[in-house]
Amino acid sequence: MKNSLLWKLFAVIAVGTVVFFWLVDLVASHTEDSMSYIDQEYRAELRAYAKEAERLLYDEGEEILSKWVKGIEEKEDTWIAISRPSIENLADTQLSERYISTFSLGRDLEWKIHLYFAGNPTMDIPFEDGITRFLIQLPQRMRPGKNLFIIDLLLQIALPFLILCLLTYVLYRYMMKPLKKLEKATRHFSEGHFHVRASEGLSHRQDELTALASTFDQMATRISTLIVDQRQLLADLSHELRTPLTRLNIAVDCVEHNQNSKEELERLRYESANMQALIDDALTLAWFNTESPKLELESVELTSLLQVLVEDARFEFSNHKVTLNQPDKDIYISSAQQALSAALENIIRNGLSHTPEGKTVNIQLTERKSSLAICVEDQGIGVPDEYLEDIFKPFFRIKEKNSDNARIVSSKKSGYGLGLALAQRQILALGGSIKASNMLDDNGERTGLAICIHIPYDGESL
Ligand SMILES: Nc1ncnc2c1ncn2[C@@H]1O[C@H](COP(=O)(O)OP(=O)(O)O)[C@@H](O)[C@H]1O
Ligand SMILES: [Mg+2]
């Protein structure tokens, strides 16, 4: 989901916090409410005072009652009054019976006490007659909500604080998990462990942070392939340079000792030209690998390009036959002429190099729906099936086991194994594809190699 982290954060922080504070408020007010009543035990005590006062009034007389009241007032540090109020209706008005029966001077014992009022309320307990009232200011020790401050502190500050700390920690862990993996992967990667990936174990999450991890993985894959390829290229290149360098040294020695100087100078020129070509090809290959370049496209007329390439090949390999089958019209494609002709030239030269003299290499251009196929088919001995993909790897050459057998090789055959690797990168950079396959006779024997290139084509031909 797009911006899913935003939605998760929104759900947790915005919605979660509002719900959380609403709950805290609910719990706090509920707790406060339940703390606002006089304890049952105190209610019983107050009722007992009223009962005793009533008994004293009727059995012992007001004097004894007054003494008793004074004693209680002193004991509870409060005041007590025993009163008999009467209601007088004036101006011929009438108070409803409901008010007369519920009339009181103080608060009923069952009523809620307002915890935030400074003074203590007056409690009103009627005697049996329903008119005489025992009034007592609630003694301080009986006042409810004594721990209100601490409970408020706990409920409204400490509890939200703790829960928010916990929530922050959980959120932090959730956010940090992919970041930590990414940090660890980056560290390992920088230490040279190119196989590390950051998104392993995060596939269940689909958010911006996992997208970051998979972008890192893509980068890691690309960089590690590049580094491994580059290392391999460098190792292969230095290995390949060893032989011509040795030969160069020998030639220089010979020149120094004036032995066959002219011949050796020729050799020096030949070897250094060879090395130059090897290094140029290796650098071009490295450029293709690292830059993945997009070649600048131009309009190329393919049939005449093939014609020129075929004529060059016929000139270079005059003892071979080179045939060209292509539509009898101009075919314009959007391509990079230099890269395309270099790739084709390499493939045609390979075909001819691996084909015995007198035999044919056929080049076939076929128009397809949205592509063009250029196939170079030779009459050499082909390539063992297991190597059909390997021949496109840099410096890959098939070892000649029985060089004296059916494999008749031309003297121009041997190279450094960079030709097809370069051709493949050039064709890929042009948005095309390249594939090698063996051609077989009726007995399943290889009769040659076919290398086919497919390049995109929108069907426009003039
Ligand atoms: N037409 C072909 N027939 C048989 N083998 C081939 C053919 N083209 C290429 N190969 C094999 O593939 C290898 C790689 O070819 P390439 O990249 O052109 O390198 P190079 O020509 O420099 O050896 C060659 O060494 C050869 O073994
Ligand atoms: Mg070659």
Side-chain angles (χ1 to χ4, degrees):
M1 188 168 73
K2 211 174 163 239
N3 293 338
S4 73
L5 193 63
L6 175 72
W7 293 115
K8 281 178 197 166
L9 287 179
F10 173 74
V12 175
I13 296 179
V15 180
T17 315
V18 168
V19 171
F20 170 70
F21 278 111
W22 176 71
L23 280 175
V24 164
D25 189 56
L26 201 75
V27 171
S29 60
H30 184 79
T31 315
E32 209 178 292
D33 211 53
S34 64
M35 286 175 71
S36 304
Y37 294 91
I38 303 172
D39 262 10
Q40 288 295 354
E41 187 192 331
Y42 295 143
R43 281 185 229 177
E45 258 186 73
L46 291 172
R47 273 195 202 97
Y49 282 157
K51 260 264 133 342
E52 181 61 6
E54 189 172 0
R55 190 191 66 79
L56 290 174
L57 178 67
Y58 294 118
D59 296 354
E60 313 279 346
E62 286 195 29
E63 212 169 306
I64 303 274
L65 173 61
S66 166
K67 259 192 205 155
W68 176 82
V69 164
K70 291 224 162 48
I72 299 292
E73 279 178 335
E74 214 159 287
K75 179 179 153 207
E76 298 287 2
D77 187 21
T78 186
W79 61 259
I80 292 173
I82 291 141
S83 316
R84 194 170 287 155
S86 69
I87 293 165
E88 191 185 348
N89 292 317
L90 300 179
D92 201 23
T93 53
Q94 200 62 46
L95 183 64
S96 110
E97 191 47 42
R98 188 161 67 89
Y99 287 105
I100 296 171
S101 63
T102 56
F103 173 78
S104 68
L105 288 172
R107 300 179 68 81
D108 193 290
L109 288 182
E110 308 297 326
W111 292 2
K112 204 170 140 182
I113 307 292
H114 291 291
L115 299 179
Y116 296 99
F117 284 177
N120 287 350
T122 304
M123 308 317 291
D124 181 331
I125 308 159
F127 284 1
E128 286 281 312
D129 59 13
I131 304 164
T132 318
R133 325 200 73 89
F134 178 79
L135 298 163
I136 177 169
Q137 188 184 35
L138 187 68
Q140 183 60 26
R141 69 176 177 99
M142 295 186 187
R143 189 186 165 109
K146 271 190 219 98
N147 299 325
L148 184 67
F149 178 70
I150 296 172
I151 287 178
D152 266 359
L153 209 70
L154 280 176
L155 277 179
Q156 296 188 10
I157 296 177
L159 184 72
F161 179 76
L162 277 178
I163 293 183
L164 284 179
C165 282
L166 201 76
L167 186 80
T168 312
Y169 181 68
V170 171
L171 217 69
Y172 171 81
R173 284 286 305 265
Y174 183 80
M175 304 265 290
M176 283 310 284
K177 199 177 168 201
L179 290 179
K180 278 216 168 104
K181 284 203 97 178
L182 192 65
E183 187 269 335
K184 205 168 143 196
T186 317
R187 189 158 31 82
H188 275 104
F189 195 82
S190 69
E191 286 162 2
H193 305 285
F194 300 133
H195 61 277
V196 289
R197 294 296 176 265
S199 62
E200 278 161 14
L202 296 175
S203 50
H204 57 286
R205 285 175 59 147
Q206 290 293 332
D207 56 35
E208 290 85 336
L209 294 177
T210 48
L212 180 67
S214 49
T215 310
F216 170 86
D217 286 357
Q218 283 167 16
M219 182 204 71
T221 309
R222 186 164 146 63
I223 291 182
S224 59
T225 319
L226 274 182
I227 293 176
V228 170
D229 283 0
Q230 223 65 315
R231 269 186 197 163
Q232 188 62 43
L233 194 70
L234 212 64
D236 289 339
L237 185 63
S238 53
H239 179 78
E240 295 294 339
L241 281 172
R242 230 166 265 161
T243 323
L245 275 174
T246 315
R247 288 203 291 256
L248 272 178
N249 277 334
I250 295 170
V252 170
D253 280 350
C254 289
V255 174
E256 261 180 8
H257 296 101
N258 285 330
Q259 299 166 349
N260 294 333
S261 286
K262 194 158 182 301
E263 206 175 295
E264 291 307 328
L265 278 174
E266 274 299 304
R267 182 157 198 85
L268 271 174
R269 197 183 305 280
Y270 172 78
E271 292 296 352
S272 68
N274 243 353
M275 276 169 61
Q276 171 88 48
L278 168 62
I279 289 167
D280 283 352
D281 283 356
L283 288 180
T284 314
L285 195 74
W287 177 68
F288 270 106
N289 281 349
T290 45
E291 308 285 318
S292 308
K294 283 259 168 292
L295 300 178
E296 217 162 277
L297 302 183
E298 58 198 315
S299 178
V300 177
E301 205 288 287
L302 193 58
T303 50
S304 38
L305 175 72
L306 285 176
Q307 194 68 49
V308 171
L309 289 174
V310 164
E311 267 153 32
D312 287 354
R314 282 182 186 141
F315 178 75
E316 197 180 337
F317 293 80
S318 50
N319 296 325
H320 288 77
K321 282 190 206 128
V322 185
T323 56
L324 174 62
N325 289 309
Q326 60 177 353
D328 189 16
K329 60 176 180 181
D330 289 351
I331 295 182
Y332 284 91
I333 54 166
S334 177
S335 194
Q337 171 147 355
Q338 207 186 352
L340 183 64
S341 58
L344 285 168
E345 201 180 311
N346 250 319
I347 295 162
I348 296 171
R349 190 172 287 143
N350 269 357
L352 286 160
S353 308
H354 291 86
T355 298
E357 287 185 0
K359 299 252 177 173
T360 311
V361 167
N362 180 44
I363 295 143
Q364 175 93 33
L365 169 62
T366 325
E367 245 186 294
R368 301 261 167 88
K369 214 174 167 199
S370 57
S371 69
L372 288 168
I374 308 167
C375 287
V376 178
E377 301 160 347
D378 63 41
Q379 294 184 336
I381 68 156
V383 166
D385 285 348
E386 65 268 32
Y387 296 136
L388 282 172
E389 285 181 9
D390 292 335
I391 55 174
F392 296 102
K393 290 182 183 160
F395 297 104
F396 183 87
R397 282 158 294 182
I398 296 167
K399 283 205 182 86
E400 284 167 52
K401 279 181 237 153
N402 314 308
S403 38
D404 53 336
N405 72 2
R407 185 163 193 165
I408 306 158
V409 287
S410 134
S411 60
K412 291 174 185 166
K413 187 192 73 73
S414 68
Y416 291 103
L418 287 178
L420 284 180
L422 260 178
Q424 187 195 46
R425 269 99 182 144
Q426 282 157 332
I427 297 301
L428 288 180
L430 291 172
S433 64
I434 184 167
K435 198 170 183 285
S437 56
N438 284 306
M439 292 180 297
L440 306 172
D441 65 11
D442 295 343
N443 301 323
E445 296 287 324
R446 293 202 295 265
T447 58
L449 188 74
I451 294 208
C452 287
I453 290 174
H454 290 268
I455 38 179
Y457 177 55
D458 55 13
E460 224 178 273
S461 58
L462 297 171

